[in-house]
Amino acid sequence: MTKAVKFSILDLSPVPEDADIRTALDRSLALAQHGEALGFERFWMAEHHGMTGIASAATSVALAHIGGGTKTIRIGAGGIMLPNHAPMMIAEQFGTLEALFPGRVDLGLGRAPGSDQRVAQALRRNLNTDANQFPRDVLELQAFLAGDERLGILATPGAGTKIPLYILGSSLFGAQLAAALGLPYAFASHFAPQALDEALAIYRRDFKPSAQLSEPYAMCGFNIFAADSDDEAEYLASSMMQSFVALRTGNPGKLAPPVEAYRENLPPQAQSMLAKTMQASGIGSPDTVLSSVRAFLGRTQADELIITGSIFDQAAREKSYSLAAQVRDLIAA
């Protein structure tokens, strides 16, 4: 590679079958502290709702927990599902985080509900189907964070914080919006990689410089399950594979313990689904992961990888990120 690629962490705060919400959030904090010590750029949490296996639904509250236990790593949302919220409220929440942890806060924005339509109805009461609402909400949020007097009201905290915004997406819509607004673009290739190449091409082709960003900046989600051997890593990854299969069959739950030979014993249809879903993955020993990451970076020319990998055992989870940091350093060298 001819450029230094940043490595970051995306955490869903998974709730293992043998644990509760507090344990999951404390494990997330321990992972953030571990990532900080390893030199990861940022630690993001994602907004999901109505799922017993994910503890980060109140994302800004969870981030306060992370920020209070760390010192230097950037913290942020990957992302806030903006249609669920009034832009002013998000400006206030993240303005509060910025006041508590100055210079460390990011705000990634998505337009999906973060759950199914029943939960979206419960969150929003009135489902707005206007395709232009999300771009308008992003612009309104930008104005609140800038302290734009034309709004006639100040978000306090929030106004004047200049928190960097990121547009998240897994389709071409997000790429087009990020390019038009001159914002960084984060693609959810860790679970929806199908449109990745086309989305990156559109984003880079159509990018217009802004006050926040002078040239395109692309972040890509990537799964890493790293262990001493390929077989051990495949075993650890089976917990997340079980979560994907459970979600696709309408039966999501807590993070299950790993299972030997899980993937090879699945029906062909489920194996095919996992192969498509987890294209952007490095599963194996450090050498295997290094090869996968190099190939992915060669393909995407990403400016940053945001790494995720839900592993049942906390020690194995932290070791996986330690090995990922070794891979990062080898690529940088």
Side-chain angles (χ1 to χ4, degrees):
M1 298 298 296
T2 58
K3 62 180 180 180
V5 177
K6 295 178 180 178
F7 276 52
S8 295
I9 297 172
L10 173 64
D11 181 45
L12 303 185
S13 200
V15 186
E17 282 186 359
D18 63 352
D20 58 13
I21 297 295
R22 176 58 188 264
T23 301
L25 291 169
D26 284 346
R27 288 183 180 186
S28 290
L29 174 56
L31 180 61
Q33 293 167 335
H34 186 62
E36 182 173 76
L38 291 169
F40 281 87
E41 177 72 13
R42 65 191 92 240
F43 185 92
W44 279 8
M45 303 184 85
E47 177 187 347
H48 292 275
H49 297 282
M51 297 184 183
T52 57
I54 296 177
S56 55
T59 312
S60 58
V61 180
L63 287 170
H65 183 54
I66 303 302
T70 55
K71 295 177 181 175
T72 58
I73 194 168
R74 297 190 66 86
I75 61 171
I80 289 293
M81 301 299 106
L82 194 53
N84 296 337
H85 310 277
M88 183 176 176
M89 292 184 68
I90 296 303
E92 291 171 342
Q93 290 172 18
F94 279 78
T96 301
L97 289 170
E98 177 65 21
L100 291 170
F101 316 112
R104 292 174 55 198
V105 177
D106 303 321
L107 178 47
L109 303 169
R111 66 175 182 139
S115 190
D116 60 27
Q117 288 300 305
R118 293 173 303 155
V119 176
Q121 181 75 52
L123 287 166
R124 298 188 237 169
R125 300 297 182 186
N126 179 30
L127 296 179
N128 192 324
T129 57
D130 183 354
N132 293 317
Q133 188 62 43
F134 179 62
R136 286 199 295 264
D137 284 347
V138 173
L139 291 172
E140 184 178 346
L141 176 56
Q142 275 189 316
F144 275 121
L145 292 174
D148 193 325
E149 294 180 355
R150 291 173 294 180
L151 292 169
I153 186 172
L154 287 179
T156 306
T161 52
K162 298 181 181 178
I163 296 167
L165 300 183
Y166 293 71
I167 299 297
L168 279 55
S170 58
S171 68
L172 306 185
F173 180 90
Q176 294 163 343
L177 181 61
L181 298 181
L183 294 176
Y185 180 49
F187 192 91
S189 35
H190 59 292
F191 75 92
Q194 286 75 18
L196 171 63
D197 299 303
E198 188 176 1
L200 291 178
I202 288 172
Y203 171 63
R204 289 168 173 146
R205 182 195 70 199
D206 296 344
F207 180 84
K208 297 178 181 177
S210 68
Q212 179 177 327
L213 195 63
S214 61
E215 58 186 23
Y217 189 90
M219 181 191 298
C220 295
F222 194 81
N223 302 298
I224 287 184
F225 296 88
D228 292 333
S229 70
D230 289 357
D231 287 344
E232 183 185 357
E234 178 75 12
Y235 172 70
L236 295 176
S238 68
S239 292
M240 189 165 169
M241 293 177 191
Q242 291 176 73
S243 294
F244 279 137
V245 171
L247 183 63
R248 296 299 173 91
T249 55
N251 189 35
K254 290 187 174 183
L255 188 68
V259 174
E260 292 283 0
Y262 175 74
R263 181 167 14 194
E264 63 192 65
N265 287 321
L266 285 173
Q269 185 177 2
Q271 290 190 34
S272 176
M273 180 276 291
L274 281 178
K276 293 176 181 176
T277 301
M278 299 184 68
Q279 288 176 43
S281 300
I283 302 174
S285 67
D287 286 344
T288 300
V289 172
L290 176 62
S291 177
S292 298
V293 171
R294 278 183 169 153
F296 186 76
L297 291 176
R299 168 188 165 190
T300 62
Q301 295 297 301
D303 300 287
E304 184 170 342
L305 287 189
I306 187 155
I307 304 302
T308 190
S310 295
I311 293 175
F312 186 81
D313 178 75
Q314 180 72 4
R317 185 186 186 197
E318 292 183 10
K319 181 176 179 178
S320 180
Y321 282 96
S322 296
L323 297 175
Q326 292 178 20
V327 167
R328 173 201 64 198
D329 295 342
L330 286 169
I331 289 172

